Amino acid sequence: MTDGPGLITGGTGQLGRALALTAPPDRRYHAPRRDALDLARPGDLPAILDRLRPAWIVNAAAYTDVDAAEKDETAAGLINAEAPRVLAAWAAENGVRLIHISTDFVFGHGPHLPIQPDMPVAPLNAYGRTKAAGEARVRDAMPNAVILRTSYLYGPDFGTGFVDRMLAAALKREVLQVVTDQTGSPTAAPDLARLIWAILAQPMTGGGIHHAACRGAASRYDLIAEALELARGQGVPIRCARLEPVASDRFPSPARRPDYSALDSSGLDQIFGVGMPAWQHALRDHVAAIAPDLRRLAAKA
């Protein structure tokens, strides 16, 4: 099955919105709302898939509330593990390409070196465990599925994600505290979306697990420090005069986070002929895009 519209799950999320904004003009797809395609009810999926008959599937949906997953791992597992298995089984049976999105949170504490795709997973929290289980179930059901792990995803719409929340806070507060002991590979959702479209444009070949994050590593502190400088360069009236580095235990939470989960995505070019930009370049483009929103928000303050 190669012709016809595809299916994007999680169409209202950060990546789903980015896929819609970057979609090639000739690409048709379904992006049902949750009430029409609820991954929390995996038993309903085969009948829906039989009706839609997608030519390809991008599973961009996930239970992403890391702290809430600690209280209800069963609910997270339905969306992050069981539903992907059902999607993969249907895709394998029908000869349909599947791209499944996973996360750096399948890893835990380890050496502070960019993580290779073949390194063993060691999740620290329920969210990471359910996402790791999803990867395993997808591979079991469909060995040639493409699994893309990403990290510290943000954008594209203003107001969504860590970067935008911190920049909005910097319009009002003179001091911001940001953790320095959590490091990943900050990734702009539109860049990941463009990679996905590029993969879909290629012939269906072997799958596997690949890292798909913007190049480089940054702590959350590094990320926001760079974002503030970029915003000032865009004429945004940033009030924050001091960014205070703090340890993550300053902000207790139910779920433990990896202290280092930066991903090595260098293999993308060789495998797919397309790679990801450096995180600084992606952040520059993102801040430039949201600068008008930030200026409007500041004017209202």
Side-chain angles (χ1 to χ4, degrees):
M1 187 185 299
T2 57
D3 298 325
L7 170 66
I8 296 174
T9 68
T12 59
Q14 289 187 115
L15 181 54
R17 288 284 301 127
L19 285 163
L21 291 171
T22 59
D26 60 343
R27 278 287 177 179
R28 297 178 296 134
Y29 58 89
H30 304 285
R33 295 174 60 88
R34 182 176 178 178
D35 55 1
L37 183 75
D38 188 355
L39 268 65
R41 302 178 62 174
D44 295 346
L45 296 179
I48 297 172
L49 293 167
D50 285 341
R51 176 171 54 82
L52 294 176
R53 305 302 297 175
W56 46 266
I57 301 171
V58 174
N59 183 28
Y63 187 111
T64 57
D65 190 329
V66 177
D67 290 327
E70 293 298 305
K71 301 176 183 178
D72 196 347
E73 189 165 348
T74 299
L78 288 174
I79 296 172
N80 292 346
E82 182 57 18
R85 182 197 67 78
V86 175
L87 293 172
W90 189 94
E93 183 179 345
N94 290 274
V96 168
R97 167 173 278 179
L98 170 66
I99 298 179
H100 173 69
I101 308 302
S102 191
T103 174
D104 58 328
F105 272 37
V106 299
F107 298 107
H109 302 314
H112 284 213
L113 296 170
I115 300 170
Q116 305 293 325
D118 59 355
M119 287 187 66
V121 299
L124 297 174
N125 52 48
Y127 168 67
R129 287 192 294 272
T130 59
K131 291 296 287 183
E135 291 183 0
R137 294 184 192 183
V138 166
R139 295 193 76 183
D140 286 345
M142 187 182 184
N144 64 339
V146 173
I147 298 172
L148 300 178
R149 290 181 184 137
T150 195
S151 172
Y152 285 25
L153 197 67
Y154 63 86
D157 297 325
F158 177 64
T160 60
F162 178 65
V163 172
D164 292 12
R165 291 196 301 270
M166 294 303 292
L167 286 175
L171 299 175
K172 303 175 182 179
R173 294 161 55 183
E174 294 186 355
V175 179
L176 288 179
Q177 295 180 331
V178 187
V179 300
T180 59
D181 56 357
Q182 293 177 7
T183 295
S185 297
T187 302
D191 290 303
L192 178 57
R194 282 186 280 267
L195 172 68
I196 291 169
W197 290 123
I199 294 173
L200 287 171
Q202 299 175 12
M204 184 172 174
T205 56
I209 296 177
H210 310 280
H211 287 173
C214 285
R215 300 195 314 272
S219 70
R220 295 189 184 274
Y221 178 92
D222 297 332
L223 174 62
I224 300 308
E226 182 76 7
L228 288 173
E229 287 305 306
L230 290 167
R232 291 187 181 100
Q234 290 288 330
V236 176
I238 296 295
R239 184 178 180 185
C240 178
R242 187 172 83 253
L243 200 61
E244 183 177 319
V246 297
S248 54
D249 59 11
R250 188 74 168 266
F251 305 104
S253 62
R256 298 167 62 201
R257 268 72 168 172
D259 60 1
Y260 189 93
S261 57
L263 303 178
D264 186 338
S265 301
S266 61
L268 292 171
D269 286 298
Q270 182 177 359
I271 297 167
F272 298 114
V274 59
M276 297 285 282
W279 72 265
Q280 297 93 331
H281 295 166
L283 183 65
R284 178 197 61 202
D285 293 343
H286 176 72
V287 173
I290 67 169
D293 299 288
L294 288 167
R295 288 193 290 268
R296 282 192 291 269
L297 185 62
K300 295 177 181 178

